[in-house]
Amino acid sequence: MKKICIVTDTASGLTSSEAKVNNIVLVPLSVLVNGKEYQDYFELNYNQLNELLREKSDIKTAQPNLGLLNDVMLNLKSQDYDDILVFTISSKLSGTYQAFILAASQNQMTNVSVVDTGTLVGSQRYVSLCASEMVRAGKSKEEILYSVNRVLHDTVTYLLPENLDQLKRGGRISSRAAALSSMLKIKIGLVLENYGNAFEKFATTRTDEKLFQTIFESMKKEGFNVDTHKVFILHAEGISQMNKLTSSFNKAFPHADYEIFDLPSVIAAHAGLNTCAIQFILKI
């Protein structure tokens, strides 16, 4: 049986303990706070970043530190893996995919396959964990990549920010749009479809429940089926909103397979506190 290593980044939402148990190498993205660089999760955890968001610190995110990434790749090279499979956050949202390709090339590692998942968080986490499970089951690199690529073309992410303030600070929407949304008390939903270029405005409603129902109808149109898809419900300290979303989801899809967990810091840094999200992906 070939020796295969699975690698992903912290946009997956995996914790270090989950990664260790599943033999996954977890590489941190970078978080810049008031100009100072930190390793996401390892040097700046979820609670610390949320506190900085409350303080309205200047927070930006970036691909993994190139020096750190080079060290990671050299360490992997020394372990004589037959294949190294890397599953990154969408290349349309981060430079992480290209950074891994560059690091592999610079270290002459021809056994590295870098997969642009075209997504993030729950779906990225799911394929990384499934790939790890397939390694333990003795599957080949080709079998793993086929299974993963098949489901990555059937995943959609809906983002429900409490407001657009943090997105405005990051330059992802205009100040005028953010101010108008706040003044009119409009609920806004954003969507990232398969390999989408960015989160796009999906719906505007007056109430949370109307926004939830609009999302559920969209999920059906996108082919979501409780028997064939897995769902992730995520939040950044948005417990109340998450509970409302989960309750409505259970009524709409009473037999769905879903998990709930925190939005990673690098996502909350852009979307803001009290943001919720819901994703689905075809099961492997």
Side-chain angles (χ1 to χ4, degrees), residues 133-160:
E133 185 177 334
M134 285 187 278
V135 168
R136 292 193 294 275
K139 301 295 184 181
S140 67
K141 176 189 78 171
E142 291 76 17
E143 289 174 307
I144 295 169
L145 292 178
Y146 172 80
S147 296
V148 167
N149 285 320
R150 182 177 67 88
V151 302
L152 286 176
H153 286 86
D154 193 349
T155 179
V156 180
T157 302
Y158 301 90
L159 194 68
L160 294 75

Side-chain angles (χ1 to χ4, degrees), residues 154-249:
D154 193 349
T155 179
V156 180
T157 302
Y158 301 90
L159 194 68
L160 294 75
E162 181 183 50
N163 57 59
L164 302 180
D165 293 348
Q166 194 63 25
L167 288 164
K168 178 190 71 175
R169 289 191 192 98
R172 294 179 181 257
I173 63 165
S174 69
S175 297
R176 183 175 180 275
L180 188 63
S181 169
S182 177
M183 181 177 67
L184 298 178
K185 300 187 184 303
I186 292 173
K187 307 293 182 180
I188 293 182
L190 307 175
V191 64
L192 176 71
E193 297 185 290
N194 302 335
Y195 294 92
N197 289 321
F199 277 98
E200 304 287 349
K201 187 173 77 171
F202 161 71
T204 56
T205 67
R206 290 288 185 178
T207 67
D208 290 327
E209 187 58 33
K210 178 62 177 175
L211 181 56
F212 298 160
Q213 295 305 319
T214 302
I215 289 172
F216 301 154
E217 286 302 313
S218 173
M219 290 173 65
K220 293 175 185 176
K221 290 177 182 177
E222 293 286 350
F224 171 72
N225 184 301
V226 295
D227 296 321
T228 57
H229 290 78
K230 189 171 181 66
V231 173
F232 307 98
I233 297 174
L234 312 105
H235 68 97
E237 292 195 354
I239 300 293
S240 175
Q241 184 77 337
M242 181 271 292
N243 285 337
K244 289 193 290 185
L245 173 59
T246 304
S247 176
S248 292
F249 177 76

Side-chain angles (χ1 to χ4, degrees), residues 9 86-94 97 114-121 123-124 127 148-149 151-157 191-199 279-281:
D9 58 67
V86 183
F87 300 102
T88 73
I89 180 176
S90 172
S91 64
K92 305 296 177 61
L93 302 177
S94 169
Y97 170 74
V114 186
V115 177
D116 174 9
T117 66
T119 185
L120 69 170
V121 200
S123 297
Q124 181 185 351
V127 297
V148 167
N149 285 320
V151 302
L152 286 176
H153 286 86
D154 193 349
T155 179
V156 180
T157 302
V191 64
L192 176 71
E193 297 185 290
N194 302 335
Y195 294 92
N197 289 321
F199 277 98
Q279 301 176 284
F280 70 82
I281 187 170

Side-chain angles (χ1 to χ4, degrees), residues 74-121:
L74 283 174
N75 181 51
L76 293 175
K77 186 176 183 178
S78 71
Q79 297 183 50
D80 296 322
Y81 286 105
D82 294 298
D83 294 294
I84 299 170
L85 309 184
V86 183
F87 300 102
T88 73
I89 180 176
S90 172
S91 64
K92 305 296 177 61
L93 302 177
S94 169
T96 303
Y97 170 74
Q98 290 296 340
F100 268 105
I101 289 179
L102 178 62
S105 175
Q106 288 179 334
N107 289 291
Q108 300 179 324
M109 297 171 68
T110 57
N111 60 335
V112 177
S113 299
V114 186
V115 177
D116 174 9
T117 66
T119 185
L120 69 170
V121 200

